[in-house]
Amino acid sequence: MKKSEKTKGKKAVADHKKRYSRYAVAAAAAFVILLVAGFYLFNPPVAKIGDTVMISYTGTFENGTVFDSNIDGDPFIFTIGSSSVIAGFEDAVIGMTVNSRKTVHIPAEKAYGPHLDNLVHVVNRSDLPGDMEPEVGKIYAITRTADGAVARVRVVNVTNDTVTIDENHLLVGQNLTFTLRFAGFYQD
């Protein structure tokens, strides 16, 4: 074998090793990319306490009557664990993934609770603003003198001298059903 043939052979082997190294690096990079993509594809992020989430929902009573829905509007945004929604709604959202859907039945105890008699008050009509003419069934926003909070109250009885108001939520004592769609995580 001539010296020139040996040089050509060594060069060919070296070129082959370089090409093999490049292919190996490219294959390893592609494998890592596929691995990461597969992880996120098969293990999507789930809603957990502390996440701010966007939810589309329809709320119904046990008889199927719709009492609230945001399906044709913007998603409802809240932070899980902030106690800004009823416990059963929050519990239902925990563990959901983006675009997942579920229907959940929430008993009254995990919704707005039982009717509380201590939230029903009889007030003198003279304590009301002079231009106010209370009507049974009508809902008013009042500012409580004890803590300055604004409360929504429903008038349940009116006499010549008194007005009976109920501070209980309108859905108190109701078992509720929500159909939920997790629209995504909210980013400020």
Side-chain angles (χ1 to χ4, degrees):
M1 188 182 276
K2 295 182 182 177
K3 190 172 183 179
S4 64
E5 290 176 350
K6 281 185 181 179
T7 305
K8 285 182 186 176
K10 287 181 183 179
K11 187 173 189 287
V13 168
D15 286 345
H16 178 71
K17 284 183 180 179
K18 280 183 186 177
R19 270 195 313 269
Y20 179 76
S21 295
R22 283 189 211 135
Y23 291 142
V25 168
F31 179 74
V32 168
I33 290 170
L34 286 173
L35 191 62
V36 169
F39 176 79
Y40 282 107
L41 198 61
F42 295 109
N43 294 307
V46 297
K48 62 188 179 313
I49 293 176
D51 288 337
T52 300
V53 296
M54 300 182 297
I55 303 292
S56 296
Y57 67 89
T58 297
T60 59
F61 295 116
E62 288 180 299
N63 66 5
T65 303
V66 173
F67 65 84
D68 194 14
S69 179
N70 70 347
I71 296 299
D72 294 328
D74 294 330
F76 175 56
I77 299 171
F78 73 98
T79 300
I80 300 172
S82 67
S83 299
S84 60
V85 298
I86 58 175
F89 192 94
E90 189 170 76
D91 292 346
V93 172
I94 293 173
M96 289 184 76
T97 58
V98 176
N99 289 321
S100 63
R101 298 171 188 270
K102 73 163 62 168
T103 297
V104 61
H105 304 284
I106 302 174
E109 299 77 38
K110 291 201 120 201
Y112 292 95
H115 186 273
L116 301 175
D117 291 337
N118 64 333
L119 293 179
V120 178
H121 310 284
V122 177
V123 296
N124 292 323
R125 284 186 81 146
S126 60
D127 292 340
L128 300 175
D131 62 340
M132 181 179 176
E133 188 57 43
E135 297 175 36
V136 173
K138 194 165 182 183
I139 298 170
Y140 296 91
I142 62 165
T143 303
R144 293 190 297 235
T145 54
D147 58 6
V150 175
R152 290 174 42 97
V153 299
R154 184 170 34 96
V155 174
V156 293
N157 190 31
V158 176
T159 68
N160 289 334
D161 299 323
T162 63
V163 175
T164 305
I165 58 173
D166 186 351
E167 287 187 69
N168 284 288
H169 193 281
L170 292 175
L171 299 177
V172 71
Q174 298 280 340
N175 296 321
L176 307 175
T177 299
F178 284 93
T179 301
L180 308 172
R181 184 182 73 81
F182 183 24
F185 293 95
Y186 180 75
Q187 306 294 324
D188 265 336

